[in-house]
Amino acid sequence: MRGGSVAGRKRVVTIVLILLMFLSALFASAWFYVSHKLSDLEAFRETITKVAAEKINRDINFESGKANLSFHDGLVLQFNNIIITEKDRSAIFVSARKASFRVSILPLLISKFVFKEAVLEEPRLLLNRDRQGVLNIADLLEKEKKDSGIEFKKLTINKGFVSFFDQSVSEQGLMTSLTDVHCVINSLFREDISRFRLNAFLNEDGNKAVISVAGRYQSAPDEKPFYESVADVSCDLKGMDLKHYNAYLKHYTPLTKFDGKLDAQVKVAGKLSDFTSQGVVTVQDAVIVYPEFFRGPVQPKKVEVDYDFNRSAGHLKLAISRLKIDRFEAKGGFAVKDMDQADPLFTAHAVTSVFSLKEVQSYIPWKIIPRDVGNFIETHVKDGNFRLVEGKFNGRESQLADMSKKESASVVYVRAEVNEGVFEAHPEAPVFHQISGI
C-alpha cells in the first residue's frame, strides 16, 4: 500500500509538471505570436486611427509604427511622423516626428488604456483663436461627463514647439510661440492632480525670452467648467518683450503703450476667479503711455517691483512692498471693490522716499490730481526735495472719469514734506528758496 501511494503521488506530480510545461509553452507561443503580430502595426492602422480620431474628434495618421510586448515594459508602441488635423481638416493641428507609448497590459482586459509613459519627440502644437475669440481647442477643454477610458501616468516632451496665433486682438493677428520645449508631466488625470515642469524659449517678433515653469495642477470636478481648475505654479521669466503684447493692453486696459524688457520671478496659486500671486518684477528701458493718469510718456530706465496680489470674487488687492523707478522709491497698495458692479470703488495708498521734483515731473499722475491743485503746483512750485508722507485715493470709477468735478475733490488726499523748496508767487515777484515744511 505504501509503495502504491508513493507511485500515485509521483504520477500526479508528473502530470502537473507536464501540464505546467504545456501551459507555459502555450503561453509563450501565444506571447510570441501576439508580439510578432504587433511588431507591424500596419495591419492595425485603420483601427488605431479610427479609435484615436473618435476620442479627439480630429483625423489622425502616421507614417509607420511598431510594437513590442514584454513582461518588464508591457506593451510598447512607437509611431513615426504623426499628423493630427484640425476638426475641419483644413490644416495641421498637431504633429510629431516620433511618439513612444508604454501601455499597461492588465487594464486592456477591461477596455482601458493606461499609458505608463508617453514620450513625444519634436512635437508641434498649432493653437489659434479666431476673430470671435474662439480657440481651436475649445472642444477639448470642455469637461467630459463620461470616462474616456484613457489615463496617462507620465508625459515627456523633447524639443517641442507651440505657436499661438491670436486673431481676436488685432486686424493682422498676433503670433507668439514657444520653441525648444522640454516638459515633463507626472500623474495625469488618474487623481486629477498633475505635477509638471517646463523649460522653453518664448519667441515674440524676433525677441527670444527664456521661460521656466514648475508646479501642480488639479483639474476641476466634472460638474464645473475648466476655468475652475486649481494651480500652484512658479514661473521664472527673463527678457520678455512687453511691446509684443501692446495689442492685449489696448484691448483690455486703459494703457495704450507699455514697452520694455521684463524679468520676473512669480508664484501663483488658486483658480482663475480666486487666486494669489507674489513675485519680483523688473522692467528695463520702460515706456508707459497711460493718458488717464499721465500727460505724456513715462520712460524710466529701470523699474523694480516686489508685490503681493490677491483676487477674489468681485475684488482685487495689490500690495507693493517696494517700487523703485530709477532713483525714486515708494511703497503702497491698490484695491478694487465691487468689480462686478457698474461703478466699482478704487482705493490706493502710498509713501515715498525723498525725490527731486524736477526729476520726477513725468512720473506725476497729473490727470488724477484736481485741476486747480495741479495748476498751482506747476505754476508756483519750481523745485525742491519732496517726500510723500501720506497719499490716499478713494473714489468710484465715475469720480475718476472727471477729476475736475466738485464731487471728486475729496477723492485724493496728499500730505508731503519739502526741503530746499523753490516757490514763485508771480513771474515778476522775488523767488523764495530753501523752503522747508509739511
Side-chain angles (χ1 to χ4, degrees):
M1 287 290 294
R2 189 171 182 181
S5 176
V6 172
R9 285 200 297 271
K10 286 184 178 180
R11 283 196 297 272
V12 170
V13 170
T14 302
I15 292 171
V16 169
L17 289 175
I18 292 172
L19 286 173
L20 288 175
M21 292 175 63
F22 174 75
L23 291 174
S24 298
L26 182 62
F27 179 78
S29 299
W31 185 276
F32 287 119
Y33 176 78
V34 172
S35 298
H36 174 71
K37 284 293 184 180
L38 288 174
S39 62
D40 182 10
L41 291 180
E42 193 62 37
F44 304 95
R45 175 185 291 271
E46 184 177 348
T47 302
I48 293 171
T49 56
K50 182 180 179 181
V51 171
E54 289 175 352
K55 293 293 183 182
I56 61 175
N57 194 28
R58 287 159 174 81
D59 286 349
I60 183 171
N61 209 339
F62 58 92
E63 183 180 280
S64 61
K66 63 179 181 178
N68 292 308
L69 193 61
S70 68
F71 290 105
H72 181 265
D73 294 327
L75 177 62
V76 178
L77 305 174
Q78 293 183 341
F79 300 93
N80 296 316
N81 297 325
I82 301 171
I83 293 178
I84 302 174
T85 65
E86 291 283 6
K87 287 188 295 182
D88 60 2
R89 301 178 179 83
S90 62
I92 293 176
F93 170 52
V94 175
S95 64
R97 183 182 63 82
K98 182 180 179 181
S100 302
F101 304 94
R102 287 200 302 129
V103 184
S104 297
I105 296 175
L106 291 180
L108 293 174
L109 300 176
I110 55 173
S111 300
K112 288 184 69 71
F113 285 86
V114 177
F115 294 94
K116 292 189 289 186
E117 184 177 20
V119 180
L120 305 180
E121 300 290 345
E122 300 178 28
R124 297 175 63 88
L125 171 62
L126 309 180
L127 300 176
N128 177 68
R129 181 158 62 177
D130 64 24
R131 299 196 184 283
Q132 288 71 45
V134 179
L135 288 165
N136 63 337
I137 57 170
D139 61 313
L140 300 178
L141 297 179
E142 295 176 356
K143 290 295 295 184
E144 290 282 351
K145 300 302 180 183
K146 59 181 181 179
D147 188 357
S148 66
I150 299 177
E151 295 176 3
F152 285 85
K153 291 291 189 178
K154 183 178 181 181
L155 171 65
T156 301
I157 295 173
N158 294 319
K159 296 183 179 180
F161 173 87
V162 180
S163 68
F164 178 44
F165 185 56
D166 194 345
Q167 303 175 72
S168 68
V169 293
S170 65
E171 187 67 27
Q172 67 274 19
L174 185 67
M175 175 66 79
T176 309
S177 63
L178 292 174
T179 59
D180 200 19
V181 177
H182 292 268
C183 177
V184 177
I185 307 175
N186 288 291
S187 299
L188 283 124
F189 309 136
R190 178 76 180 245
E191 300 174 352
D192 291 330
I193 297 177
S194 304
R195 289 174 173 79
F196 61 89
R197 66 178 185 274
L198 178 147
N199 297 293
F201 291 107
L202 177 62
N203 289 271
E204 314 147 320
D205 289 335
N207 181 69
K208 181 178 283 190
V210 179
I211 183 170
S212 299
V213 182
R216 187 177 68 169
Y217 169 83
Q218 183 173 11
S219 60
D222 288 345
E223 67 274 9
K224 293 187 177 181
F226 166 77
Y227 53 78
E228 289 295 307
S229 300
V230 178
D232 188 348
V233 180
S234 297
C235 178
D236 193 342
L237 185 61
K238 295 181 180 179
M240 186 172 111
D241 185 8
L242 294 174
K243 183 179 180 180
H244 179 75
Y245 305 95
N246 273 326
Y248 293 108
L249 290 173
K250 294 176 183 177
H251 197 74
Y252 297 110
T253 75
L255 285 167
T256 58
K257 187 176 184 179
F258 193 3
D259 295 356
K261 290 295 183 70
L262 180 142
D263 295 342
Q265 295 82 45
V266 173
K267 292 183 178 180
V268 181
K271 54 187 178 181
L272 192 61
S273 60
D274 186 359
F275 67 92
T276 61
S277 177
Q278 304 84 36
V280 179
V281 179
T282 303
V283 181
Q284 301 278 0
D285 299 319
V287 179
I288 303 170
V289 178
Y290 194 173
E292 293 186 6
F293 267 62
F294 307 105
R295 288 177 177 168
V298 179
Q299 298 177 286
K301 289 292 183 183
K302 187 176 183 181
V303 179
E304 299 173 84
V305 181
D306 293 9
Y307 77 90
D308 195 320
F309 182 83
N310 187 298
R311 195 216 191 281
S312 57
H315 305 283
L316 65 82
K317 183 178 181 181
L318 173 65
I320 298 177
S321 58
R322 186 178 75 103
L323 169 63
K324 187 175 182 182
I325 306 174
D326 294 335
R327 292 191 294 176
F328 172 79
E329 293 190 33
K331 61 181 180 179
F334 173 78
V336 183
K337 295 182 179 180
D338 306 325
M339 290 173 58
D340 52 350
Q341 304 298 318
D343 197 15
L345 175 66
F346 295 84
T347 61
H349 65 277
V351 297
T352 72
S353 62
V354 176
F355 59 89
S356 168
L357 181 62
K358 285 185 176 179
E359 289 184 1
V360 301
Q361 278 279 352
S362 64
Y363 304 158
I364 298 174
W366 296 107
K367 292 294 185 72
I368 67 169
I369 297 175
R371 186 177 301 169
D372 292 342
V373 177
N375 289 341
F376 180 85
I377 294 173
E378 286 193 289
T379 303
H380 302 291
V381 182
K382 299 302 181 180
D383 200 4
N385 294 321
F386 291 82
R387 181 174 68 89
L388 181 62
V389 178
E390 185 179 14
K392 292 182 179 179
F393 179 92
N394 191 327
R396 297 283 177 179
E397 184 178 1
S398 56
Q399 295 172 292
L400 178 61
D402 189 353
M403 293 298 295
S404 63
K405 291 182 177 180
K406 184 178 180 180
E407 56 267 28
S408 299
S410 62
V411 169
V412 179
Y413 171 78
V414 176
R415 184 167 176 261
E417 180 184 64
V418 59
N419 285 294
E420 299 181 1
V422 179
F423 182 82
E424 181 183 83
H426 190 274
E428 296 181 1
V431 177
F432 296 90
H433 296 270
Q434 300 297 321
I435 297 173
S436 298
I438 294 179

